[in-house]
Amino acid sequence: MAGRTARPERGSATREVILATAERLFAEHGVHAVSNRQISEAAGQGNSAAVGYHFGTKADLVRAIARKHAEEMERLRVWMVADVAGSADVRGWVACLVRPFTRHLEDQGVPSWYARFRAQVMADPALYQITVEESLPSPSLRLLVDGLNRCLSDLPADVREARWAMARQVIVQMCVERERALAEGDPTSQPSWEDLATSLIDAIVGLLQAPVTPRS
Protein backbone atom coordinates (compact mmCIF):
# COMPACT_ATOMS: atom_id res chain seq x y z
CA MET A 1 0.00 0.00 0.00
CA ALA A 2 2.85 2.41 0.78
CA GLY A 3 4.17 2.11 -2.77
CA ARG A 4 0.74 2.81 -4.22
CA THR A 5 0.31 6.03 -2.27
CA ALA A 6 3.88 7.22 -2.78
CA ARG A 7 3.66 7.20 -6.57
CA PRO A 8 0.73 9.71 -6.85
CA GLU A 9 2.45 11.91 -4.26
CA ARG A 10 5.68 11.88 -6.29
CA GLY A 11 3.67 12.72 -9.42
CA SER A 12 2.01 15.66 -7.67
CA ALA A 13 5.34 16.93 -6.40
CA THR A 14 6.82 16.65 -9.89
CA ARG A 15 3.93 18.65 -11.34
CA GLU A 16 4.46 21.40 -8.77
CA VAL A 17 8.19 21.59 -9.54
CA ILE A 18 7.49 21.79 -13.26
CA LEU A 19 4.84 24.49 -12.74
CA ALA A 20 7.16 26.63 -10.62
CA THR A 21 10.07 26.17 -13.04
CA ALA A 22 7.95 26.99 -16.09
CA GLU A 23 6.54 30.11 -14.44
CA ARG A 24 10.06 31.35 -13.66
CA LEU A 25 11.45 30.64 -17.12
CA PHE A 26 8.42 32.13 -18.87
CA ALA A 27 8.71 35.24 -16.69
CA GLU A 28 12.41 35.65 -17.39
CA HIS A 29 12.55 34.81 -21.09
CA GLY A 30 9.02 34.83 -22.53
CA VAL A 31 6.73 31.88 -23.20
CA HIS A 32 7.77 31.29 -26.81
CA ALA A 33 11.49 31.47 -26.07
CA VAL A 34 11.37 28.51 -23.68
CA SER A 35 10.92 24.91 -24.84
CA ASN A 36 9.31 22.08 -22.92
CA ARG A 37 12.68 20.32 -22.98
CA GLN A 38 14.35 23.32 -21.29
CA ILE A 39 11.66 23.35 -18.61
CA SER A 40 12.08 19.62 -17.97
CA GLU A 41 15.86 19.98 -17.64
CA ALA A 42 15.65 23.05 -15.38
CA ALA A 43 13.11 21.20 -13.22
CA GLY A 44 15.61 18.38 -12.73
CA GLN A 45 13.62 15.84 -14.71
CA GLY A 46 15.69 13.12 -16.35
CA ASN A 47 12.94 12.58 -18.91
CA SER A 48 12.99 15.49 -21.38
CA ALA A 49 9.33 14.77 -22.20
CA ALA A 50 8.21 15.27 -18.58
CA VAL A 51 6.33 18.50 -19.34
CA GLY A 52 4.34 16.89 -22.11
CA TYR A 53 3.62 13.84 -19.96
CA HIS A 54 2.26 15.86 -17.03
CA PHE A 55 0.63 18.80 -18.83
CA GLY A 56 0.40 18.28 -22.59
CA THR A 57 1.10 21.28 -24.79
CA LYS A 58 2.74 24.55 -23.79
CA ALA A 59 -0.69 26.19 -23.87
CA ASP A 60 -1.90 23.57 -21.39
CA LEU A 61 1.05 24.42 -19.15
CA VAL A 62 0.23 28.15 -19.31
CA ARG A 63 -3.37 27.28 -18.44
CA ALA A 64 -2.27 25.25 -15.41
CA ILE A 65 -0.14 28.12 -14.11
CA ALA A 66 -2.96 30.61 -14.67
CA ARG A 67 -5.49 28.32 -12.95
CA LYS A 68 -3.31 27.83 -9.89
CA HIS A 69 -2.94 31.56 -9.31
CA ALA A 70 -6.58 32.33 -10.20
CA GLU A 71 -7.77 29.91 -7.54
CA GLU A 72 -5.49 31.41 -4.90
CA MET A 73 -6.57 34.97 -5.72
CA GLU A 74 -10.22 33.93 -5.66
CA ARG A 75 -9.83 32.99 -2.00
CA LEU A 76 -8.44 36.45 -1.27
CA ARG A 77 -11.04 38.30 -3.35
CA VAL A 78 -14.24 36.61 -2.25
CA TRP A 79 -14.45 38.16 1.23
CA MET A 80 -13.48 41.62 -0.06
CA VAL A 81 -16.29 41.56 -2.63
CA ALA A 82 -18.74 40.44 0.05
CA ASP A 83 -17.81 43.52 2.10
CA VAL A 84 -18.65 45.97 -0.70
CA ALA A 85 -21.65 44.14 -2.19
CA GLY A 86 -24.36 46.64 -3.13
CA SER A 87 -22.03 49.60 -2.70
CA ALA A 88 -21.79 52.51 -5.14
CA ASP A 89 -18.28 53.36 -3.92
CA VAL A 90 -15.88 53.13 -6.86
CA ARG A 91 -12.86 53.03 -4.57
CA GLY A 92 -14.18 50.01 -2.69
CA TRP A 93 -14.67 48.05 -5.90
CA VAL A 94 -11.28 49.07 -7.27
CA ALA A 95 -9.67 47.85 -4.05
CA CYS A 96 -11.24 44.44 -4.77
CA LEU A 97 -9.54 44.53 -8.16
CA VAL A 98 -6.08 45.54 -6.90
CA ARG A 99 -5.48 44.10 -3.46
CA PRO A 100 -6.02 40.38 -4.18
CA PHE A 101 -3.29 40.63 -6.83
CA THR A 102 -0.78 42.53 -4.69
CA ARG A 103 -1.45 40.41 -1.59
CA HIS A 104 -1.05 37.25 -3.64
CA LEU A 105 2.31 38.50 -4.92
CA GLU A 106 3.38 39.33 -1.37
CA ASP A 107 2.42 35.79 -0.31
CA GLN A 108 4.76 34.39 -2.98
CA GLY A 109 7.81 35.70 -1.12
CA VAL A 110 11.01 36.96 -2.75
CA PRO A 111 11.73 36.30 -5.51
CA SER A 112 8.31 35.89 -7.09
CA TRP A 113 7.60 35.51 -10.79
CA TYR A 114 3.86 35.75 -11.30
CA ALA A 115 3.62 39.46 -12.21
CA ARG A 116 6.30 39.02 -14.87
CA PHE A 117 4.62 35.84 -16.10
CA ARG A 118 1.33 37.77 -16.42
CA ALA A 119 3.06 40.55 -18.34
CA GLN A 120 4.57 38.05 -20.81
CA VAL A 121 1.23 36.32 -21.33
CA MET A 122 -0.69 39.59 -21.74
CA ALA A 123 1.53 40.43 -24.72
CA ASP A 124 0.24 37.38 -26.63
CA PRO A 125 -3.47 37.47 -27.55
CA ALA A 126 -3.87 33.68 -27.66
CA LEU A 127 -2.14 33.10 -24.33
CA TYR A 128 -3.92 36.05 -22.73
CA GLN A 129 -7.23 34.50 -23.76
CA ILE A 130 -6.27 31.41 -21.79
CA THR A 131 -5.85 33.48 -18.62
CA VAL A 132 -9.20 35.17 -19.28
CA GLU A 133 -10.88 31.78 -19.63
CA GLU A 134 -9.37 30.67 -16.32
CA SER A 135 -10.73 33.80 -14.61
CA LEU A 136 -14.26 33.50 -16.00
CA PRO A 137 -15.47 30.84 -13.53
CA SER A 138 -14.63 33.18 -10.61
CA PRO A 139 -17.91 34.21 -8.92
CA SER A 140 -16.22 37.06 -7.04
CA LEU A 141 -14.66 38.48 -10.20
CA ARG A 142 -18.02 38.51 -11.99
CA LEU A 143 -19.57 40.33 -9.03
CA LEU A 144 -16.65 42.77 -9.05
CA VAL A 145 -17.02 43.57 -12.75
CA ASP A 146 -20.80 44.00 -12.42
CA GLY A 147 -20.47 46.19 -9.33
CA LEU A 148 -17.84 48.47 -10.81
CA ASN A 149 -19.68 48.74 -14.13
CA ARG A 150 -22.81 49.85 -12.27
CA CYS A 151 -20.76 52.61 -10.64
CA LEU A 152 -19.51 53.65 -14.09
CA SER A 153 -22.84 53.37 -15.91
CA ASP A 154 -22.56 56.99 -17.12
CA LEU A 155 -19.48 56.12 -19.19
CA PRO A 156 -20.06 54.97 -22.78
CA ALA A 157 -19.53 51.22 -23.04
CA ASP A 158 -16.49 51.54 -25.33
CA VAL A 159 -14.83 54.07 -23.00
CA ARG A 160 -15.51 51.85 -20.00
CA GLU A 161 -13.98 48.85 -21.78
CA ALA A 162 -10.90 50.85 -22.77
CA ARG A 163 -10.39 52.03 -19.20
CA TRP A 164 -10.71 48.47 -17.89
CA ALA A 165 -7.87 47.54 -20.25
CA MET A 166 -5.79 50.51 -19.07
CA ALA A 167 -6.38 49.56 -15.44
CA ARG A 168 -5.25 45.97 -16.05
CA GLN A 169 -2.06 47.18 -17.71
CA VAL A 170 -1.27 49.65 -14.93
CA ILE A 171 -1.75 47.03 -12.22
CA VAL A 172 0.39 44.40 -13.90
CA GLN A 173 3.20 46.68 -15.06
CA MET A 174 3.60 48.45 -11.72
CA CYS A 175 3.66 45.07 -9.97
CA VAL A 176 6.26 43.88 -12.49
CA GLU A 177 8.49 46.82 -11.55
CA ARG A 178 8.26 46.05 -7.83
CA GLU A 179 8.63 42.29 -8.30
CA ARG A 180 11.75 42.72 -10.43
CA ALA A 181 13.29 45.26 -8.05
CA LEU A 182 12.75 42.98 -5.07
CA ALA A 183 14.20 40.00 -6.93
CA GLU A 184 17.31 41.98 -7.90
CA GLY A 185 17.75 43.75 -4.56
CA ASP A 186 17.11 47.19 -6.03
CA PRO A 187 15.22 50.09 -4.39
CA THR A 188 11.44 50.05 -4.84
CA SER A 189 9.14 52.98 -5.49
CA GLN A 190 6.86 51.94 -2.59
CA PRO A 191 7.96 50.53 0.79
CA SER A 192 5.49 47.62 0.74
CA TRP A 193 3.01 45.77 -1.45
CA GLU A 194 0.22 47.34 0.61
CA ASP A 195 1.55 50.82 -0.16
CA LEU A 196 1.77 50.00 -3.85
CA ALA A 197 -1.81 48.75 -3.76
CA THR A 198 -3.01 52.02 -2.20
CA SER A 199 -1.15 54.03 -4.84
CA LEU A 200 -2.64 51.90 -7.62
CA ILE A 201 -6.15 52.29 -6.21
CA ASP A 202 -5.72 56.09 -6.12
CA ALA A 203 -4.55 56.12 -9.75
CA ILE A 204 -7.19 53.74 -11.09
CA VAL A 205 -10.07 55.51 -9.36
CA GLY A 206 -8.87 58.70 -11.07
CA LEU A 207 -8.52 56.89 -14.39
CA LEU A 208 -12.01 55.41 -14.26
CA GLN A 209 -13.68 58.64 -13.20
CA ALA A 210 -11.76 60.98 -15.52
CA PRO A 211 -13.87 63.14 -17.86
CA VAL A 212 -14.45 61.95 -21.40
CA THR A 213 -13.38 64.31 -24.17
CA PRO A 214 -16.19 64.70 -26.74
CA ARG A 215 -15.32 63.26 -30.13
CA SER A 216 -15.32 65.55 -33.10
Side-chain angles (χ1 to χ4, degrees):
M1 290 296 293
R4 292 182 183 178
T5 58
R7 184 170 296 173
E9 289 174 359
R10 285 199 299 271
S12 177
T14 299
R15 284 176 58 90
E16 289 302 313
V17 170
I18 291 172
L19 274 181
T21 302
E23 183 179 325
R24 173 176 62 82
L25 293 178
F26 290 160
E28 290 179 323
H29 306 294
V31 177
H32 296 294
V34 179
S35 69
N36 284 0
R37 177 185 292 273
Q38 289 172 312
I39 295 168
S40 295
E41 292 175 352
Q45 301 303 305
N47 182 357
S48 62
V51 171
Y53 174 79
H54 286 282
F55 294 99
T57 67
K58 186 179 289 186
D60 294 326
L61 181 54
V62 168
R63 185 179 299 278
I65 296 169
R67 179 174 300 168
K68 173 187 174 183
H69 289 283
E71 290 172 350
E72 293 173 1
M73 285 188 288
E74 173 71 6
R75 289 192 286 270
L76 292 170
R77 189 189 303 112
V78 64
W79 64 269
M80 295 184 65
V81 169
D83 280 350
V84 298
S87 170
D89 177 28
V90 172
R91 186 178 182 85
W93 287 110
V94 171
C96 295
L97 180 66
V98 173
R99 292 200 189 278
F101 189 62
T102 55
R103 287 177 182 172
H104 178 59
L105 288 171
E106 184 174 20
D107 289 344
Q108 303 305 296
V110 179
S112 63
W113 311 98
Y114 181 57
R116 285 171 285 176
F117 166 80
R118 278 287 296 270
Q120 295 283 3
V121 169
M122 286 176 72
D124 183 296
L127 295 178
Y128 178 63
Q129 182 59 33
I130 290 173
T131 66
V132 171
E133 291 168 2
E134 289 304 314
S135 298
L136 289 178
S138 163
S140 68
L141 189 57
R142 291 198 298 270
L143 290 171
L144 162 60
V145 172
D146 290 343
L148 194 46
N149 280 342
R150 283 195 301 272
C151 295
L152 303 172
S153 59
D154 290 342
L155 285 177
D158 60 331
V159 173
R160 193 165 61 237
E161 186 62 28
R163 291 186 181 182
W164 268 108
M166 294 176 199
R168 288 193 297 268
Q169 291 288 341
V170 168
I171 293 168
V172 171
Q173 294 302 327
M174 291 304 298
C175 287
V176 164
E177 286 192 14
R178 178 173 176 80
E179 184 181 68
R180 181 180 291 118
L182 289 172
E184 297 176 357
D186 292 336
T188 59
S189 61
Q190 300 288 339
S192 69
W193 283 109
E194 194 74 6
D195 289 309
L196 175 59
T198 300
S199 180
L200 283 167
I201 292 165
D202 290 343
I204 292 169
V205 168
L207 166 65
L208 294 175
Q209 295 185 317
V212 181
T213 301
R215 295 172 181 171
S216 57

